[in-house]
Amino acid sequence: MSRRILGWLWLWLGLLGWALGTQAAELRYQLEATPVAADTWVVEGSTGNFSRDNGGNIVNVAFIATGAGVVVIDTGPSRLYGEALRELIARTTNEPISHVLLTHHHPDHVFGNQAFDPDTLYMLAQGRQALAREGEAFADNLYRLVGDWMRGTEVVVPRHTLEPGVLTVGGHRLRLLEYSGHTGSDLVVFDETTGVLFASDMLFYNRALTTPQSPGLMIWAQELVALAELPYTLVVPGHGPVLADDSAFRQMSDYLTLLYQTLMAAASRGLSPSEVMNLPLPDRFQAIAGSRYELIRTTTHLYPRYEKAALELLSEQ
Amino acid sequence: MGRLVWMLCGLMAAPVLAAVPQDPFGSPMWEYNLSRYLGEGSRVVHDERVQLVVPPFAEDSAQVPLTLDLSAYPGPVQQIITWVDLNPIPHLFTLTPGATQARLVSLNFRVQQATTVRAAVRDADGVWHIGSAYVDAAGGGCTAPSLTGANPDWEQHFGTIHGGAFARLPGVRYKFSVMHPMDSGMVGDVPAFHIESVRLTGPGGDAPLLTMTLSQSAAENPMFVFELEQQPPYTVLWMRDNNGNVFERRLGEASGAES
């Protein structure tokens, strides 16, 4: 009798363990480091949107083993991701992490910060302020979108302020450039030693660009012209595949221009925001992941300015 | 025995339920809000020609665009009532057309949570034609402090009105925005302060072209779009908020043509 109870107990414990085990196994980021240049690896995310399936792994992060420490560029969407990234770096190189450069304050790029030594975190001054200001709201929204993947994730504002200019670490000379088109403070890292351009979210490729904090589409487009002139050999966009030519720049410029012209024309015709959200997109943009979704968001973020500009101030009679 | 009672209840309830069609969205507020806004026992039909357009998700819960497009609806329209099922105060606006029909109406609203949105259009026989839509949302739009009020110099811009007239063939589209905090009264220590009446009047006009009453679900600094089937020589816009502030402007003439 007691053996039977014991048997049941073991069975239940086994089932419980199995259930917990599979759950834990589900919430594990499968990160891979792809070598793209000397001492340089990219961890590529999908071009999807935040979801409970991908845990927000929709972003490209990168790291460079400089000889005097690893320079990491962005930390991903959650604490869990940050930890997986740190393990991946430790498996790939024996060097300790000396610098973690955070490109901008969007959650998919900085919510892995917790996994890293706070003394290694660096971000531009404006980006730090923006993260301190808006981080909590981003976190709330991300919990809603990806659920349990976010467990234990907290906003960590980097301790050190990064200045634009040249940062030399080991054998790598990194040019740090500050732009504004995507969020108002966007770090781009150009490794002059290898010619790899880490454009972060100044550049999206085969994935629709996002505009929640963009100061303006044409500001972004003008900055891209300057960015495209750098003597790069390889481009790592913030979202989408790594590439060796200027296709991503051309696609971005085309898309920004289309958005600008669409919003201008819509405002001059007096269209309502709902009508803009449902406007047809040219065929060449249908293939870009998330183009309709992001048109809806961009209309919310930016169309009111175009609408206002198309109206006259009406004074009292 | 229990089953028998349930069956009897079902039989008795059936004729009452048959008067109202099923809600394709299955909202718990469907029947309640129908009788609340349209009156008990109103005749109601779903009608795809009442095109209510909202985005599938709210990027900003305090500013969700809504467009009611009646271009496919044969008319004439006696009255339009819109509401947001799961908002604390669901009612958004009631619009009564005048001599010229409104073909399209647009403004932004707030959402407190993911919800169905309704537009009910009353025809000459007193039947309500319902258009429905669903918007997903993180929520909190009704209980978030207004951005306008947080800005220390908001009073300088208070009541500033921008507007334009856009040609449509036939007709005209008026679009105008007013700087107004549109406080919902649901944020601590901030009383409700919002525009509650909007009226468009043509020349010679005691009879308005349209009258709209607004509730707290309307978004701050509202941008209104009204498309009318005929273009009057000129139109006067009149608005009043619940504190008695009156705003009156003449809307321009449309140039160019667009059908």
Side-chain angles (χ1 to χ4, degrees):
Chain A
M1 185 67 179
S2 66
R3 261 177 69 173
R4 226 170 102 185
I5 291 173
L6 210 61
W8 277 111
L9 194 65
W10 279 118
L11 184 66
W12 276 112
L13 278 174
L15 279 172
L16 190 69
W18 175 76
L20 287 173
T22 49
Q23 252 199 342
E26 273 171 26
L27 294 191
R28 176 117 193 109
Y29 292 97
Q30 301 298 325
L31 302 185
E32 276 176 44
T34 308
V36 295
D39 318 324
T40 310
W41 291 265
V42 169
V43 185
E44 192 178 321
S46 81
T47 55
N49 192 17
F50 292 107
S51 77
R52 280 161 202 263
D53 297 327
N54 60 32
N57 180 14
I58 58 169
V59 62
N60 296 339
V61 306
F63 56 95
I64 309 163
T66 64
V70 179
V71 174
V72 183
I73 300 169
D74 285 342
T75 59
S78 63
R79 180 182 62 91
L80 205 59
Y81 182 102
E83 287 167 358
L85 177 62
R86 228 187 63 183
E87 285 166 23
L88 178 68
I89 293 168
R91 281 202 306 274
T92 313
T93 165
N94 293 324
E95 292 181 33
I97 294 166
S98 64
H99 294 77
V100 180
L101 310 180
L102 287 320
T103 59
H104 62 292
H105 75 293
H106 279 169
D108 45 338
H109 297 261
V110 296
F111 276 15
N113 286 2
Q114 265 168 302
F116 295 86
D117 177 355
D119 212 35
T120 60
L121 302 178
Y122 293 82
M123 197 172 189
L124 294 165
Q126 264 200 60
R128 289 180 65 217
Q129 286 165 17
L131 181 59
R133 195 172 59 237
E134 297 177 66
E136 291 301 332
F138 286 153
D140 288 348
N141 197 36
L142 217 52
Y143 270 98
R144 188 176 74 88
L145 292 172
V146 308
D148 224 17
W149 293 91
M150 278 287 285
R151 188 186 292 179
T153 302
E154 281 167 26
V155 178
V156 177
V157 179
R159 185 172 289 179
H160 301 294
T161 302
L162 203 59
E163 298 290 339
V166 172
L167 173 71
T168 304
V169 189
H172 287 254
R173 193 180 140 88
L174 307 176
R175 203 190 303 173
L176 309 178
L177 301 147
E178 181 169 18
Y179 292 99
S180 70
H182 178 51
T183 63
S185 177
D186 302 289
L187 174 70
V188 168
V189 180
F190 179 49
D191 186 339
E192 294 183 350
T193 309
T194 57
V196 178
L197 179 62
F198 302 92
S200 189
D201 282 8
M202 280 298 289
L203 208 56
F204 288 68
Y205 186 49
N206 290 343
R207 204 290 173 194
L209 59 95
T210 73
T211 57
Q213 283 81 27
S214 174
L217 298 168
M218 284 299 102
I219 294 173
W220 195 343
Q222 279 161 17
E223 289 180 350
L224 278 178
V225 172
L227 197 52
E229 282 169 8
L230 291 169
Y232 62 84
T233 54
L234 199 74
V235 186
V236 184
H239 300 265
V242 175
L243 68 175
D245 62 17
D246 65 349
S247 315
F249 283 102
R250 283 189 282 110
Q251 189 185 66
M252 277 289 287
S253 162
D254 189 16
Y255 195 35
L256 283 165
T257 308
L258 169 93
L259 281 175
Y260 172 75
Q261 287 172 346
T262 302
L263 297 184
M264 281 293 276
S268 74
R269 292 168 57 210
L271 297 194
S272 74
S274 324
E275 289 172 314
V276 178
M277 290 171 176
N278 289 315
L279 284 174
L281 284 166
D283 284 345
R284 65 185 189 281
F285 297 112
Q286 305 276 4
I288 297 180
S291 55
R292 175 63 55 188
Y293 180 82
E294 295 300 342
L295 177 64
I296 292 171
R297 298 183 70 210
T298 294
T299 304
T300 307
H301 308 143
L302 301 179
Y303 188 53
R305 299 178 209 172
Y306 293 79
E307 283 183 292
K308 200 62 87 54
L311 301 178
E312 287 175 73
L313 177 66
L314 303 181
S315 44
E316 290 179 69
Q317 296 143 50
Chain B
M1 182 59 194
R3 192 175 292 177
L4 189 65
V5 171
W6 278 114
M7 276 172 65
L8 285 171
C9 285
L11 283 173
M12 287 191 305
V16 181
L17 289 174
V20 172
Q22 287 273 318
D23 174 19
F25 293 92
S27 166
M29 298 299 281
W30 168 239
E31 291 182 29
Y32 180 78
N33 280 337
L34 280 180
S35 55
R36 182 180 186 179
Y37 293 119
L38 310 183
E40 197 86 39
S42 292
R43 283 178 291 161
V44 169
V45 292
H46 293 295
D47 193 333
E48 287 183 356
R49 298 169 301 179
V50 176
Q51 277 182 39
L52 183 62
V53 186
V54 299
F57 62 94
E59 172 65 9
D60 177 354
S61 292
Q63 293 281 352
V64 187
L66 173 148
T67 296
L68 176 62
D69 183 352
L70 294 175
S71 52
Y73 184 80
V77 172
Q78 304 297 312
Q79 194 171 50
I80 299 165
I81 302 179
T82 59
W83 65 90
V84 184
D85 268 317
L86 298 184
N87 269 5
I89 296 172
H91 182 255
L92 178 57
F93 68 79
T94 296
L95 187 147
T96 310
T100 176
Q101 288 282 311
R103 193 160 43 203
L104 182 141
V105 182
S106 169
L107 83 172
N108 285 6
F109 65 103
R110 311 169 206 253
V111 279
Q112 190 61 11
Q113 57 181 301
T115 177
T116 36
V117 188
R118 316 284 181 179
V121 172
R122 184 158 56 90
D123 68 17
D125 298 325
V127 176
W128 290 95
H129 299 252
I130 311 281
S132 301
Y134 179 83
V135 58
D136 191 9
C142 300
T143 48
S146 77
L147 298 172
T148 314
N151 185 348
D153 60 353
W154 70 271
E155 280 176 280
Q156 284 183 2
H157 302 287
F158 175 72
T160 303
I161 297 175
H162 288 82
F166 303 87
R168 289 294 185 273
L169 278 181
V172 64
R173 175 178 287 209
Y174 293 119
K175 186 170 188 178
F176 50 89
S177 70
V178 53
M179 296 298 283
H180 199 294
M182 301 291 272
D183 291 312
S184 67
M186 293 170 210
V187 185
D189 299 331
V190 182
F193 178 40
H194 63 99
I195 292 167
E196 52 183 15
S197 303
V198 179
R199 200 169 66 203
L200 296 182
T201 315
D206 290 336
L209 298 166
L210 64 83
T211 315
M212 180 190 239
T213 56
L214 278 172
S215 293
Q216 286 92 326
S217 286
E220 73 177 295
N221 300 330
M223 174 79 75
F224 296 92
V225 178
F226 295 107
E227 189 172 313
L228 306 178
E229 286 186 350
Q230 286 128 39
Q231 176 165 208
Y234 68 86
T235 296
V236 175
L237 159 69
W238 179 92
M239 291 183 280
R240 192 188 60 211
D241 67 26
N242 65 334
N243 280 20
N245 297 303
V246 169
F247 311 92
E248 197 167 351
R249 299 287 191 280
R250 193 164 149 158
L251 295 175
E253 257 180 83
S255 54
E258 183 171 345
S259 52

